[in-house]
Amino acid sequence: MAGVASRSGLPPELVSRFVALGLVDAERDARGRLWFRPSAPSVIARVQRLRTGLGLNYAAIGVVLDLLDRIERLEVALRRGERAAKEPTPWT
């Protein structure tokens, strides 16, 4: 936890709060220590940008993060569909 907090420039207590609020994913090991995905610092930075830049509360940030993830999945699906449409159709 301390590593992710220091890379994010935030106190560990705030990172722990983000985990408790469901804004950042983490797993607990048998000793109760938090383990983060490699993307955690960028997620934390996104949370901070939404908080300071738009003045959103943490509940609203959770909604925005969910919507941004959903948009990203839809854009990936759209790009896949566009690539598939460009491929020639074999005649059989």
Side-chain angles (χ1 to χ4, degrees):
M1 159 105 84
V4 170
S6 67
R7 280 181 278 170
S8 302
L10 299 175
E13 297 80 21
L14 185 56
V15 174
S16 190
R17 183 174 182 193
F18 289 170
V19 172
L21 292 170
L23 300 174
V24 178
D25 292 331
E27 300 290 327
R28 289 203 182 270
D29 65 9
R31 292 180 154 185
R33 293 177 298 190
L34 290 173
W35 290 90
F36 294 88
R37 295 181 180 159
S39 62
S42 64
V43 172
I44 291 170
R46 182 182 256 185
V47 169
Q48 285 298 98
R49 284 191 307 271
L50 290 169
R51 177 89 171 140
T52 58
L54 298 177
L56 299 176
N57 64 31
Y58 292 126
I61 289 171
V63 171
V64 170
L65 290 175
D66 287 343
L67 290 172
L68 290 171
D69 288 343
R70 190 176 281 183
I71 289 168
E72 184 177 345
R73 286 192 306 270
L74 290 170
E75 286 177 341
V76 167
L78 179 64
R79 284 192 294 273
R80 279 190 203 135
E82 288 172 348
R83 275 187 295 216
K86 289 179 184 177
E87 293 178 9
T89 305
W91 294 95
T92 56

